[in-house]
């Protein structure tokens, strides 16, 4: 039963926004649920935990109560978002041209566990985001030049926040992955400072920050061409057994 203080909507994830085959890209669905938890406010970071893969083309329940939001499939909890007061650390800025050159070292060209991923998959231009992070020489960073497709806007011509969260997501995995390795996003905490624009060019930068057993930790950021910070995130991935 939905209370007066609780808002509930039905959402369906189109197959375009997939990550692993058959389920939603973790960053995209995290951003979708995050926006439900805080609306247009960007006064705090939001922590999103992915409890289970989110199925595609399936009617799901998105509930917003106070400052939190949940996504469920029947009785199964899929995603949960809450605001946090933590101040996130952004990896340092990499200029766009240098970030674009780093793409030549993208490990996914040799062996990609999820080649159809909306963010880092080998999709047609304009269909996926085609963010291909590669090592930046002389640093512990991976980076890519992000050219925002005109085809990712909503009906008002705005790039949804979910797309920005998606851009922050995969780079934290590729900061760890070698060809053929894989993991699933378990948690993404992000702070959005400003919006991105269709047709714009941005640097996506990430670094690995540690590993504990199967848990992989990373941080990422999106920067404008002049070095202005757009958004930053930290991620926890769960490596395949």
């Amino acid at each position: 039963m939905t209370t007066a203080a609780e808002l509930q909507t039905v959402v369906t994830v189109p197959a375009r926004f997939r990550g692993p085959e058959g389920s939603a890209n973790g960053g995209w669905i995290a951003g979708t649920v995050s926006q439900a938890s805080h609306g247009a406010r960007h006064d705090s970071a939001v922590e999103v935990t992915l409890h289970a893969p989110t199925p595609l083309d399936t009617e799901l329940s998105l509930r917003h109560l106070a400052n939190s939001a949940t996504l469920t499939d029947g009785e199964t909890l899929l995603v949960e978002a809450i605001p946090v007061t933590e101040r996130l650390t952004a990896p340092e800025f990499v200029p766009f041209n240098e970030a674009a050159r780093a793409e030549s070292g993208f490990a996914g060209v040799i062996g990609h566990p999820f080649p159809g991923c909306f963010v880092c998959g080998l999709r047609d231009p304009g269909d996926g985001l085609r963010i291909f992070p590669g090592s930046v020489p002389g640093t512990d960073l991976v980076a890519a030049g992000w050219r925002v497709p005109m085809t990712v806007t909503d009906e008002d011509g705005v790039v949804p926040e979910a797309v920005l969260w998606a851009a922050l997501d995969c780079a934290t995995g590729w900061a760890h992955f070698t060809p053929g390795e894989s993991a699933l996003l378990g948690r993404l905490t992000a702070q959005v400072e400003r919006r991105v624009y269709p047709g714009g060019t941005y640097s996506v930068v990430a670094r690995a920050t540690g590993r504990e057993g199967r848990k992989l930790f990373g941080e990422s950021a999106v920067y404008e061409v002049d070095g202005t910070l757009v958004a930053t995130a930290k991620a926890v991935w769960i490596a395949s057994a």
Side-chain angles (χ1 to χ4, degrees):
M1 178 176 175
T2 302
T3 67
E6 178 180 331
L7 300 178
Q8 179 174 338
T9 57
V10 175
V11 300
T12 300
V13 180
R16 180 188 182 189
F17 301 115
R18 63 191 180 275
E21 202 62 37
S23 61
N25 170 266
W28 188 91
I29 197 63
T32 297
V33 178
S34 166
Q35 193 157 21
S37 73
H38 75 284
R41 293 185 295 107
H42 292 154
D43 53 353
S44 68
V46 179
E47 178 187 277
V48 182
T49 302
L50 309 181
H51 294 275
T54 298
L56 304 172
D57 297 321
T58 302
E59 290 191 348
L60 308 169
S61 295
L62 180 60
R63 295 182 176 90
H64 175 207
L65 178 61
N67 289 324
S68 66
T70 59
L71 184 70
T72 57
D73 182 7
E75 298 300 314
T76 302
L77 176 63
L78 303 174
V79 184
E80 184 176 19
I82 58 172
V84 292
T85 58
E86 181 179 1
R87 185 69 180 176
L88 300 179
T89 302
E92 53 265 35
F93 171 59
V94 175
F96 177 82
N97 288 343
E98 187 177 349
R101 285 195 297 270
E103 295 173 21
S104 64
F106 177 53
V109 173
I110 300 172
H112 201 309
F114 311 120
C117 176
F118 171 65
V119 179
C120 63
L122 310 177
R123 304 264 290 265
D124 291 338
D127 181 30
L129 299 186
R130 296 176 62 85
I131 296 174
F132 302 143
S135 296
V136 179
T139 75
D140 63 349
L141 304 172
V142 296
W146 181 24
R147 307 149 188 87
V148 182
M150 302 296 293
T151 55
V152 295
T153 60
D154 60 20
E155 61 273 12
D156 297 320
V158 175
V159 178
E161 193 166 294
V163 173
L164 180 52
W165 277 66
L168 289 164
D169 164 24
C170 292
T172 59
W174 288 108
H176 287 275
F177 300 160
T178 58
E181 286 190 319
S182 66
L184 295 177
L185 184 68
R187 176 172 291 157
L188 190 64
T189 305
Q191 171 76 61
V192 174
E193 306 289 346
R194 60 193 67 238
R195 55 181 288 200
V196 298
Y197 294 88
T201 52
Y202 301 85
S203 293
V204 179
V205 187
R207 65 156 50 95
T209 57
R211 181 168 190 156
E212 294 178 4
R214 292 174 55 205
K215 291 184 178 180
L216 311 177
F217 303 92
E219 61 185 21
S220 61
V222 174
Y223 288 96
E224 295 181 352
V225 293
D226 64 356
T228 300
L229 182 65
V230 174
T232 188
K234 72 171 188 177
V236 181
W237 292 74
I238 309 300
S240 301

